[in-house]
PDB file of all heavy atoms in Angstrom:
ATOM      1  N   PHE A   1       5.193   2.607  -1.356  1.00  0.00           N
ATOM      2  CA  PHE A   1       5.561   2.697   0.043  1.00  0.00           C
ATOM      3  C   PHE A   1       5.537   4.162   0.438  1.00  0.00           C
ATOM      4  O   PHE A   1       5.559   5.042  -0.417  1.00  0.00           O
ATOM      5  CB  PHE A   1       6.961   2.131   0.287  1.00  0.00           C
ATOM      6  CG  PHE A   1       7.086   0.644   0.104  1.00  0.00           C
ATOM      7  CD1 PHE A   1       7.063   0.071  -1.163  1.00  0.00           C
ATOM      8  CD2 PHE A   1       7.252  -0.185   1.208  1.00  0.00           C
ATOM      9  CE1 PHE A   1       7.186  -1.299  -1.326  1.00  0.00           C
ATOM     10  CE2 PHE A   1       7.379  -1.557   1.055  1.00  0.00           C
ATOM     11  CZ  PHE A   1       7.348  -2.110  -0.215  1.00  0.00           C
ATOM     12  N   ARG A   2       5.530   4.411   1.731  1.00  0.00           N
ATOM     13  CA  ARG A   2       5.634   5.788   2.198  1.00  0.00           C
ATOM     14  C   ARG A   2       6.433   5.829   3.490  1.00  0.00           C
ATOM     15  O   ARG A   2       6.496   4.860   4.238  1.00  0.00           O
ATOM     16  CB  ARG A   2       4.260   6.427   2.400  1.00  0.00           C
ATOM     17  CG  ARG A   2       3.452   5.852   3.546  1.00  0.00           C
ATOM     18  CD  ARG A   2       2.061   6.470   3.562  1.00  0.00           C
ATOM     19  NE  ARG A   2       1.274   6.006   4.699  1.00  0.00           N
ATOM     20  CZ  ARG A   2      -0.007   6.274   4.879  1.00  0.00           C
ATOM     21  NH1 ARG A   2      -0.665   7.022   3.985  1.00  0.00           N
ATOM     22  NH2 ARG A   2      -0.645   5.808   5.941  1.00  0.00           N
ATOM     23  N   GLN A   3       7.037   6.975   3.732  1.00  0.00           N
ATOM     24  CA  GLN A   3       7.800   7.161   4.950  1.00  0.00           C
ATOM     25  C   GLN A   3       7.694   8.605   5.412  1.00  0.00           C
ATOM     26  O   GLN A   3       7.989   9.531   4.660  1.00  0.00           O
ATOM     27  CB  GLN A   3       9.265   6.786   4.751  1.00  0.00           C
ATOM     28  CG  GLN A   3      10.073   6.790   6.035  1.00  0.00           C
ATOM     29  CD  GLN A   3      11.434   6.145   5.870  1.00  0.00           C
ATOM     30  OE1 GLN A   3      11.988   6.106   4.775  1.00  0.00           O
ATOM     31  NE2 GLN A   3      11.973   5.630   6.959  1.00  0.00           N
ATOM     32  N   ALA A   4       7.275   8.776   6.645  1.00  0.00           N
ATOM     33  CA  ALA A   4       7.213  10.085   7.271  1.00  0.00           C
ATOM     34  C   ALA A   4       8.447  10.266   8.139  1.00  0.00           C
ATOM     35  O   ALA A   4       9.033   9.288   8.611  1.00  0.00           O
ATOM     36  CB  ALA A   4       5.949  10.214   8.110  1.00  0.00           C
ATOM     37  N   PRO A   5       8.864  11.500   8.373  1.00  0.00           N
ATOM     38  CA  PRO A   5      10.044  11.742   9.207  1.00  0.00           C
ATOM     39  C   PRO A   5       9.927  11.080  10.570  1.00  0.00           C
ATOM     40  O   PRO A   5       8.905  11.199  11.242  1.00  0.00           O
ATOM     41  CB  PRO A   5      10.073  13.267   9.333  1.00  0.00           C
ATOM     42  CG  PRO A   5       9.401  13.751   8.097  1.00  0.00           C
ATOM     43  CD  PRO A   5       8.300  12.756   7.849  1.00  0.00           C
ATOM     44  N   GLY A   6      10.972  10.364  10.964  1.00  0.00           N
ATOM     45  CA  GLY A   6      10.996   9.709  12.259  1.00  0.00           C
ATOM     46  C   GLY A   6      10.190   8.433  12.356  1.00  0.00           C
ATOM     47  O   GLY A   6      10.086   7.860  13.443  1.00  0.00           O
ATOM     48  N   LYS A   7       9.630   7.989  11.258  1.00  0.00           N
ATOM     49  CA  LYS A   7       8.822   6.783  11.265  1.00  0.00           C
ATOM     50  C   LYS A   7       9.381   5.740  10.303  1.00  0.00           C
ATOM     51  O   LYS A   7      10.153   6.057   9.403  1.00  0.00           O
ATOM     52  CB  LYS A   7       7.375   7.101  10.891  1.00  0.00           C
ATOM     53  CG  LYS A   7       6.659   8.004  11.886  1.00  0.00           C
ATOM     54  CD  LYS A   7       5.209   8.187  11.521  1.00  0.00           C
ATOM     55  CE  LYS A   7       4.495   9.043  12.542  1.00  0.00           C
ATOM     56  NZ  LYS A   7       3.055   9.219  12.194  1.00  0.00           N
ATOM     57  N   GLU A   8       8.972   4.505  10.519  1.00  0.00           N
ATOM     58  CA  GLU A   8       9.386   3.413   9.650  1.00  0.00           C
ATOM     59  C   GLU A   8       8.717   3.527   8.292  1.00  0.00           C
ATOM     60  O   GLU A   8       7.594   4.022   8.167  1.00  0.00           O
ATOM     61  CB  GLU A   8       9.030   2.069  10.283  1.00  0.00           C
ATOM     62  CG  GLU A   8       9.749   1.768  11.583  1.00  0.00           C
ATOM     63  CD  GLU A   8      11.173   1.337  11.365  1.00  0.00           C
ATOM     64  OE1 GLU A   8      11.506   0.860  10.260  1.00  0.00           O
ATOM     65  OE2 GLU A   8      11.980   1.473  12.302  1.00  0.00           O
ATOM     66  N   ARG A   9       9.412   3.050   7.289  1.00  0.00           N
ATOM     67  CA  ARG A   9       8.816   2.939   5.970  1.00  0.00           C
ATOM     68  C   ARG A   9       7.685   1.925   6.033  1.00  0.00           C
ATOM     69  O   ARG A   9       7.827   0.859   6.646  1.00  0.00           O
ATOM     70  CB  ARG A   9       9.870   2.493   4.951  1.00  0.00           C
ATOM     71  CG  ARG A   9       9.363   2.305   3.538  1.00  0.00           C
ATOM     72  CD  ARG A   9      10.490   1.870   2.625  1.00  0.00           C
ATOM     73  NE  ARG A   9      11.105   0.639   3.088  1.00  0.00           N
ATOM     74  CZ  ARG A   9      12.256   0.163   2.631  1.00  0.00           C
ATOM     75  NH1 ARG A   9      12.925   0.830   1.702  1.00  0.00           N
ATOM     76  NH2 ARG A   9      12.745  -0.969   3.119  1.00  0.00           N
ATOM     77  N   GLU A  10       6.568   2.235   5.411  1.00  0.00           N
ATOM     78  CA  GLU A  10       5.445   1.327   5.445  1.00  0.00           C
ATOM     79  C   GLU A  10       4.893   1.059   4.046  1.00  0.00           C
ATOM     80  O   GLU A  10       4.946   1.916   3.165  1.00  0.00           O
ATOM     81  CB  GLU A  10       4.330   1.856   6.351  1.00  0.00           C
ATOM     82  CG  GLU A  10       3.703   3.154   5.897  1.00  0.00           C
ATOM     83  CD  GLU A  10       2.541   3.576   6.778  1.00  0.00           C
ATOM     84  OE1 GLU A  10       1.850   2.690   7.331  1.00  0.00           O
ATOM     85  OE2 GLU A  10       2.320   4.795   6.911  1.00  0.00           O
ATOM     86  N   LYS A  11       4.385  -0.129   3.883  1.00  0.00           N
ATOM     87  CA  LYS A  11       3.743  -0.502   2.633  1.00  0.00           C
ATOM     88  C   LYS A  11       2.397   0.183   2.517  1.00  0.00           C
ATOM     89  O   LYS A  11       1.671   0.296   3.500  1.00  0.00           O
ATOM     90  CB  LYS A  11       3.564  -2.019   2.566  1.00  0.00           C
ATOM     91  CG  LYS A  11       4.866  -2.792   2.507  1.00  0.00           C
ATOM     92  CD  LYS A  11       4.622  -4.298   2.493  1.00  0.00           C
ATOM     93  CE  LYS A  11       4.145  -4.791   3.840  1.00  0.00           C
ATOM     94  NZ  LYS A  11       4.025  -6.286   3.874  1.00  0.00           N
ATOM     95  N   VAL A  12       2.080   0.630   1.329  1.00  0.00           N
ATOM     96  CA  VAL A  12       0.794   1.260   1.071  1.00  0.00           C
ATOM     97  C   VAL A  12      -0.078   0.352   0.216  1.00  0.00           C
ATOM     98  O   VAL A  12      -1.224   0.067   0.558  1.00  0.00           O
ATOM     99  CB  VAL A  12       0.964   2.629   0.392  1.00  0.00           C
ATOM    100  CG1 VAL A  12      -0.398   3.239   0.077  1.00  0.00           C
ATOM    101  CG2 VAL A  12       1.782   3.562   1.274  1.00  0.00           C
ATOM    102  N   ALA A  13       0.463  -0.108  -0.906  1.00  0.00           N
ATOM    103  CA  ALA A  13      -0.301  -0.947  -1.813  1.00  0.00           C
ATOM    104  C   ALA A  13       0.638  -1.652  -2.775  1.00  0.00           C
ATOM    105  O   ALA A  13       1.746  -1.187  -3.036  1.00  0.00           O
ATOM    106  CB  ALA A  13      -1.322  -0.121  -2.597  1.00  0.00           C
ATOM    107  N   VAL A  14       0.187  -2.775  -3.308  1.00  0.00           N
ATOM    108  CA  VAL A  14       0.955  -3.514  -4.303  1.00  0.00           C
ATOM    109  C   VAL A  14       0.012  -3.995  -5.395  1.00  0.00           C
ATOM    110  O   VAL A  14      -1.166  -4.265  -5.136  1.00  0.00           O
ATOM    111  CB  VAL A  14       1.718  -4.700  -3.659  1.00  0.00           C
ATOM    112  CG1 VAL A  14       0.752  -5.720  -3.065  1.00  0.00           C
ATOM    113  CG2 VAL A  14       2.667  -5.354  -4.656  1.00  0.00           C
ATOM    114  N   ILE A  15       0.526  -4.081  -6.600  1.00  0.00           N
ATOM    115  CA  ILE A  15      -0.247  -4.579  -7.727  1.00  0.00           C
ATOM    116  C   ILE A  15       0.613  -5.587  -8.482  1.00  0.00           C
ATOM    117  O   ILE A  15       1.809  -5.370  -8.696  1.00  0.00           O
ATOM    118  CB  ILE A  15      -0.728  -3.420  -8.630  1.00  0.00           C
ATOM    119  CG1 ILE A  15      -1.675  -3.931  -9.716  1.00  0.00           C
ATOM    120  CG2 ILE A  15       0.442  -2.646  -9.228  1.00  0.00           C
ATOM    121  CD1 ILE A  15      -2.451  -2.804 -10.407  1.00  0.00           C
ATOM    122  N   TYR A  16       0.017  -6.699  -8.869  1.00  0.00           N
ATOM    123  CA  TYR A  16       0.775  -7.754  -9.509  1.00  0.00           C
ATOM    124  C   TYR A  16      -0.131  -8.603 -10.392  1.00  0.00           C
ATOM    125  O   TYR A  16      -1.307  -8.292 -10.555  1.00  0.00           O
ATOM    126  CB  TYR A  16       1.500  -8.606  -8.460  1.00  0.00           C
ATOM    127  CG  TYR A  16       0.599  -9.319  -7.470  1.00  0.00           C
ATOM    128  CD1 TYR A  16       0.388 -10.691  -7.559  1.00  0.00           C
ATOM    129  CD2 TYR A  16      -0.024  -8.624  -6.437  1.00  0.00           C
ATOM    130  CE1 TYR A  16      -0.423 -11.344  -6.643  1.00  0.00           C
ATOM    131  CE2 TYR A  16      -0.841  -9.266  -5.528  1.00  0.00           C
ATOM    132  CZ  TYR A  16      -1.037 -10.629  -5.637  1.00  0.00           C
ATOM    133  OH  TYR A  16      -1.841 -11.283  -4.733  1.00  0.00           O
ATOM    134  N   SER A  17       0.439  -9.671 -10.935  1.00  0.00           N
ATOM    135  CA  SER A  17      -0.278 -10.543 -11.878  1.00  0.00           C
ATOM    136  C   SER A  17      -0.853  -9.738 -13.029  1.00  0.00           C
ATOM    137  O   SER A  17      -2.022  -9.869 -13.393  1.00  0.00           O
ATOM    138  CB  SER A  17      -1.380 -11.329 -11.163  1.00  0.00           C
ATOM    139  OG  SER A  17      -0.832 -12.226 -10.222  1.00  0.00           O
ATOM    140  N   GLY A  18      -0.006  -8.909 -13.615  1.00  0.00           N
ATOM    141  CA  GLY A  18      -0.424  -8.110 -14.753  1.00  0.00           C
ATOM    142  C   GLY A  18      -1.426  -7.029 -14.409  1.00  0.00           C
ATOM    143  O   GLY A  18      -2.072  -6.481 -15.309  1.00  0.00           O
ATOM    144  N   GLY A  19      -1.564  -6.726 -13.125  1.00  0.00           N
ATOM    145  CA  GLY A  19      -2.513  -5.729 -12.684  1.00  0.00           C
ATOM    146  C   GLY A  19      -3.847  -6.297 -12.251  1.00  0.00           C
ATOM    147  O   GLY A  19      -4.758  -5.547 -11.898  1.00  0.00           O
ATOM    148  N   LEU A  20      -3.970  -7.617 -12.261  1.00  0.00           N
ATOM    149  CA  LEU A  20      -5.224  -8.264 -11.905  1.00  0.00           C
ATOM    150  C   LEU A  20      -5.427  -8.397 -10.401  1.00  0.00           C
ATOM    151  O   LEU A  20      -6.562  -8.567  -9.954  1.00  0.00           O
ATOM    152  CB  LEU A  20      -5.303  -9.655 -12.539  1.00  0.00           C
ATOM    153  CG  LEU A  20      -5.299  -9.696 -14.067  1.00  0.00           C
ATOM    154  CD1 LEU A  20      -5.315 -11.138 -14.544  1.00  0.00           C
ATOM    155  CD2 LEU A  20      -6.493  -8.945 -14.628  1.00  0.00           C
ATOM    156  N   ARG A  21      -4.341  -8.329  -9.650  1.00  0.00           N
ATOM    157  CA  ARG A  21      -4.432  -8.510  -8.206  1.00  0.00           C
ATOM    158  C   ARG A  21      -3.814  -7.322  -7.481  1.00  0.00           C
ATOM    159  O   ARG A  21      -2.819  -6.756  -7.936  1.00  0.00           O
ATOM    160  CB  ARG A  21      -3.735  -9.797  -7.785  1.00  0.00           C
ATOM    161  CG  ARG A  21      -4.329 -11.045  -8.422  1.00  0.00           C
ATOM    162  CD  ARG A  21      -3.611 -12.291  -7.950  1.00  0.00           C
ATOM    163  NE  ARG A  21      -4.079 -13.485  -8.631  1.00  0.00           N
ATOM    164  CZ  ARG A  21      -5.138 -14.193  -8.269  1.00  0.00           C
ATOM    165  NH1 ARG A  21      -5.841 -13.832  -7.191  1.00  0.00           N
ATOM    166  NH2 ARG A  21      -5.493 -15.266  -8.960  1.00  0.00           N
ATOM    167  N   THR A  22      -4.396  -6.978  -6.348  1.00  0.00           N
ATOM    168  CA  THR A  22      -3.911  -5.867  -5.543  1.00  0.00           C
ATOM    169  C   THR A  22      -3.985  -6.208  -4.068  1.00  0.00           C
ATOM    170  O   THR A  22      -4.705  -7.108  -3.650  1.00  0.00           O
ATOM    171  CB  THR A  22      -4.724  -4.589  -5.788  1.00  0.00           C
ATOM    172  OG1 THR A  22      -6.103  -4.831  -5.474  1.00  0.00           O
ATOM    173  CG2 THR A  22      -4.618  -4.145  -7.243  1.00  0.00           C
ATOM    174  N   ASN A  23      -3.231  -5.473  -3.278  1.00  0.00           N
ATOM    175  CA  ASN A  23      -3.269  -5.607  -1.837  1.00  0.00           C
ATOM    176  C   ASN A  23      -3.014  -4.236  -1.226  1.00  0.00           C
ATOM    177  O   ASN A  23      -2.155  -3.492  -1.704  1.00  0.00           O
ATOM    178  CB  ASN A  23      -2.216  -6.616  -1.358  1.00  0.00           C
ATOM    179  CG  ASN A  23      -2.239  -6.814   0.146  1.00  0.00           C
ATOM    180  OD1 ASN A  23      -1.570  -6.094   0.887  1.00  0.00           O
ATOM    181  ND2 ASN A  23      -3.007  -7.785   0.596  1.00  0.00           N
ATOM    182  N   TYR A  24      -3.759  -3.899  -0.175  1.00  0.00           N
ATOM    183  CA  TYR A  24      -3.651  -2.592   0.449  1.00  0.00           C
ATOM    184  C   TYR A  24      -3.367  -2.703   1.934  1.00  0.00           C
ATOM    185  O   TYR A  24      -3.849  -3.620   2.606  1.00  0.00           O
ATOM    186  CB  TYR A  24      -4.950  -1.808   0.287  1.00  0.00           C
ATOM    187  CG  TYR A  24      -5.316  -1.473  -1.131  1.00  0.00           C
ATOM    188  CD1 TYR A  24      -6.097  -2.331  -1.890  1.00  0.00           C
ATOM    189  CD2 TYR A  24      -4.876  -0.282  -1.709  1.00  0.00           C
ATOM    190  CE1 TYR A  24      -6.436  -2.026  -3.195  1.00  0.00           C
ATOM    191  CE2 TYR A  24      -5.213   0.036  -3.011  1.00  0.00           C
ATOM    192  CZ  TYR A  24      -5.994  -0.836  -3.749  1.00  0.00           C
ATOM    193  OH  TYR A  24      -6.328  -0.521  -5.043  1.00  0.00           O
ATOM    194  N   ALA A  25      -2.613  -1.744   2.431  1.00  0.00           N
ATOM    195  CA  ALA A  25      -2.476  -1.603   3.869  1.00  0.00           C
ATOM    196  C   ALA A  25      -3.823  -1.190   4.447  1.00  0.00           C
ATOM    197  O   ALA A  25      -4.639  -0.566   3.764  1.00  0.00           O
ATOM    198  CB  ALA A  25      -1.420  -0.551   4.199  1.00  0.00           C
ATOM    199  N   ASP A  26      -4.044  -1.532   5.709  1.00  0.00           N
ATOM    200  CA  ASP A  26      -5.315  -1.181   6.340  1.00  0.00           C
ATOM    201  C   ASP A  26      -5.582   0.324   6.283  1.00  0.00           C
ATOM    202  O   ASP A  26      -6.725   0.752   6.120  1.00  0.00           O
ATOM    203  CB  ASP A  26      -5.336  -1.659   7.793  1.00  0.00           C
ATOM    204  CG  ASP A  26      -5.451  -3.165   7.910  1.00  0.00           C
ATOM    205  OD1 ASP A  26      -5.865  -3.817   6.938  1.00  0.00           O
ATOM    206  OD2 ASP A  26      -5.126  -3.694   8.991  1.00  0.00           O
ATOM    207  N   SER A  27      -4.539   1.111   6.407  1.00  0.00           N
ATOM    208  CA  SER A  27      -4.693   2.561   6.395  1.00  0.00           C
ATOM    209  C   SER A  27      -5.134   3.099   5.041  1.00  0.00           C
ATOM    210  O   SER A  27      -5.636   4.226   4.960  1.00  0.00           O
ATOM    211  CB  SER A  27      -3.384   3.232   6.806  1.00  0.00           C
ATOM    212  OG  SER A  27      -2.338   2.895   5.914  1.00  0.00           O
ATOM    213  N   ALA A  28      -4.937   2.305   3.988  1.00  0.00           N
ATOM    214  CA  ALA A  28      -5.256   2.749   2.639  1.00  0.00           C
ATOM    215  C   ALA A  28      -6.567   2.187   2.113  1.00  0.00           C
ATOM    216  O   ALA A  28      -7.141   2.748   1.166  1.00  0.00           O
ATOM    217  CB  ALA A  28      -4.130   2.361   1.687  1.00  0.00           C
ATOM    218  N   LYS A  29      -7.038   1.118   2.698  1.00  0.00           N
ATOM    219  CA  LYS A  29      -8.237   0.460   2.200  1.00  0.00           C
ATOM    220  C   LYS A  29      -9.435   1.392   2.198  1.00  0.00           C
ATOM    221  O   LYS A  29      -9.693   2.095   3.167  1.00  0.00           O
ATOM    222  CB  LYS A  29      -8.549  -0.774   3.051  1.00  0.00           C
ATOM    223  CG  LYS A  29      -7.569  -1.908   2.881  1.00  0.00           C
ATOM    224  CD  LYS A  29      -7.929  -3.085   3.784  1.00  0.00           C
ATOM    225  CE  LYS A  29      -6.936  -4.218   3.620  1.00  0.00           C
ATOM    226  NZ  LYS A  29      -7.232  -5.349   4.540  1.00  0.00           N
ATOM    227  N   GLY A  30     -10.137   1.392   1.082  1.00  0.00           N
ATOM    228  CA  GLY A  30     -11.332   2.206   0.955  1.00  0.00           C
ATOM    229  C   GLY A  30     -11.079   3.632   0.532  1.00  0.00           C
ATOM    230  O   GLY A  30     -12.023   4.333   0.158  1.00  0.00           O
ATOM    231  N   ARG A  31      -9.839   4.078   0.588  1.00  0.00           N
ATOM    232  CA  ARG A  31      -9.503   5.452   0.213  1.00  0.00           C
ATOM    233  C   ARG A  31      -8.538   5.539  -0.959  1.00  0.00           C
ATOM    234  O   ARG A  31      -8.618   6.476  -1.748  1.00  0.00           O
ATOM    235  CB  ARG A  31      -8.902   6.202   1.406  1.00  0.00           C
ATOM    236  CG  ARG A  31      -9.828   6.314   2.605  1.00  0.00           C
ATOM    237  CD  ARG A  31      -9.241   7.240   3.667  1.00  0.00           C
ATOM    238  NE  ARG A  31      -7.957   6.752   4.156  1.00  0.00           N
ATOM    239  CZ  ARG A  31      -6.828   7.446   4.119  1.00  0.00           C
ATOM    240  NH1 ARG A  31      -6.807   8.677   3.624  1.00  0.00           N
ATOM    241  NH2 ARG A  31      -5.702   6.923   4.599  1.00  0.00           N
ATOM    242  N   PHE A  32      -7.623   4.582  -1.040  1.00  0.00           N
ATOM    243  CA  PHE A  32      -6.605   4.602  -2.085  1.00  0.00           C
ATOM    244  C   PHE A  32      -6.884   3.507  -3.108  1.00  0.00           C
ATOM    245  O   PHE A  32      -7.394   2.434  -2.768  1.00  0.00           O
ATOM    246  CB  PHE A  32      -5.209   4.361  -1.499  1.00  0.00           C
ATOM    247  CG  PHE A  32      -4.704   5.447  -0.583  1.00  0.00           C
ATOM    248  CD1 PHE A  32      -5.476   6.544  -0.245  1.00  0.00           C
ATOM    249  CD2 PHE A  32      -3.423   5.348  -0.058  1.00  0.00           C
ATOM    250  CE1 PHE A  32      -4.999   7.537   0.601  1.00  0.00           C
ATOM    251  CE2 PHE A  32      -2.928   6.329   0.787  1.00  0.00           C
ATOM    252  CZ  PHE A  32      -3.718   7.423   1.115  1.00  0.00           C
ATOM    253  N   THR A  33      -6.511   3.771  -4.346  1.00  0.00           N
ATOM    254  CA  THR A  33      -6.659   2.790  -5.408  1.00  0.00           C
ATOM    255  C   THR A  33      -5.370   2.728  -6.219  1.00  0.00           C
ATOM    256  O   THR A  33      -4.922   3.741  -6.760  1.00  0.00           O
ATOM    257  CB  THR A  33      -7.824   3.133  -6.344  1.00  0.00           C
ATOM    258  OG1 THR A  33      -9.041   3.211  -5.593  1.00  0.00           O
ATOM    259  CG2 THR A  33      -7.979   2.052  -7.413  1.00  0.00           C
ATOM    260  N   ILE A  34      -4.786   1.543  -6.301  1.00  0.00           N
ATOM    261  CA  ILE A  34      -3.589   1.348  -7.106  1.00  0.00           C
ATOM    262  C   ILE A  34      -4.003   0.771  -8.453  1.00  0.00           C
ATOM    263  O   ILE A  34      -4.910  -0.056  -8.536  1.00  0.00           O
ATOM    264  CB  ILE A  34      -2.576   0.422  -6.386  1.00  0.00           C
ATOM    265  CG1 ILE A  34      -1.243   0.381  -7.135  1.00  0.00           C
ATOM    266  CG2 ILE A  34      -3.133  -0.981  -6.192  1.00  0.00           C
ATOM    267  CD1 ILE A  34      -0.131  -0.321  -6.358  1.00  0.00           C
TER     268      ILE A  34
END
């Protein structure tokens, strides 16, 4: 997760099922890798 001053905490990415599955926020897709 991430939070900037004055802004809501937002989800960035999650990894589960032993690392086999992932999900990204739209802002992170294509740039971030969990």
Side-chain angles (χ1 to χ4, degrees):
F1 292 73
R2 68 185 183 187
Q3 187 168 26
K7 296 185 178 181
E8 296 283 337
R9 178 180 58 193
E10 64 176 329
K11 294 178 288 185
V12 177
V14 63
I15 187 165
Y16 61 106
S17 295
L20 297 177
R21 300 181 185 275
T22 59
N23 181 271
Y24 296 90
D26 288 341
S27 60
K29 290 179 181 177
R31 299 188 300 123
F32 294 3
T33 302
I34 188 170

